[in-house]
Amino acid sequence: QVQLVESGGGSVQPGGSLRLSCAASGYTTSSGDMAWFRQAPGKEREGVAVICVRSAGTYTYYADSVKGRFTIARDNARNTMYLQMNSLKPEETAVYSCAAGAGLPASVRRNFGGYWRDAPLYTYWGPGTQVTVSS
């Protein structure tokens, strides 16, 4: 069975940084589509970043609000995905969850830049880790 477990959350001041980790078991990070989502209290789940592998190479996509500040990456030897978050803002306080896709249609995979934000596409989810940004 597949299990995803996040770690690395915590409390930071505005402008601070955190690196989140998502350890995967029963799932090969080198070949899958994996994403980070976040959900603040009273708000909908929001796609933050995704990393995916295609025949042409590896691609990453980011929410506009985090471009230039967040970086998604994988360490396939450790079967772990990461999210480096810099210059954090108070409004980014949320539970951050990792997700992994499986069995996505070819049409979706070919145009994943237009689909990755849709949470129902992902089959597996971790329980989440809390990130709090406050002074």
Side-chain angles (χ1 to χ4, degrees), residues 1-94:
Q1 66 274 25
V2 175
Q3 186 172 12
L4 307 176
V5 180
E6 303 92 343
S7 62
S11 298
V12 297
Q13 294 184 336
S17 298
L18 286 173
R19 189 177 78 157
L20 306 182
S21 299
C22 174
S25 60
Y27 188 92
T28 303
T29 61
S30 62
S31 61
D33 302 326
M34 301 188 70
W36 287 98
F37 285 76
R38 64 189 178 191
Q39 187 168 27
K43 297 186 180 296
E44 295 184 351
R45 183 176 291 167
E46 174 191 26
V48 178
V50 67
I51 185 166
C52 55
V53 179
R54 302 292 183 265
S55 61
T58 300
Y59 298 84
T60 59
Y61 301 94
Y62 297 90
D64 289 343
S65 62
V66 309
K67 287 181 179 178
R69 298 186 297 115
F70 289 13
T71 303
I72 189 170
R74 295 179 300 188
D75 185 337
N76 294 325
R78 299 179 180 178
N79 216 35
T80 300
M81 180 180 65
Y82 302 95
L83 183 68
Q84 177 66 46
M85 305 185 295
N86 297 327
S87 301
L88 282 160
K89 304 174 181 180
E91 57 265 36
E92 293 174 317
T93 293

Side-chain angles (χ1 to χ4, degrees), residues 69-132:
R69 298 186 297 115
F70 289 13
T71 303
I72 189 170
R74 295 179 300 188
D75 185 337
N76 294 325
R78 299 179 180 178
N79 216 35
T80 300
M81 180 180 65
Y82 302 95
L83 183 68
Q84 177 66 46
M85 305 185 295
N86 297 327
S87 301
L88 282 160
K89 304 174 181 180
E91 57 265 36
E92 293 174 317
T93 293
V95 174
Y96 285 70
S97 301
C98 64
L104 296 176
S107 59
V108 173
R109 291 179 57 84
R110 286 195 299 268
N111 300 282
F112 206 57
Y115 292 96
W116 73 271
R117 300 172 185 266
D118 298 333
L121 293 177
Y122 300 90
T123 302
Y124 307 107
W125 291 83
T129 185
Q130 177 70 46
V131 172
T132 302

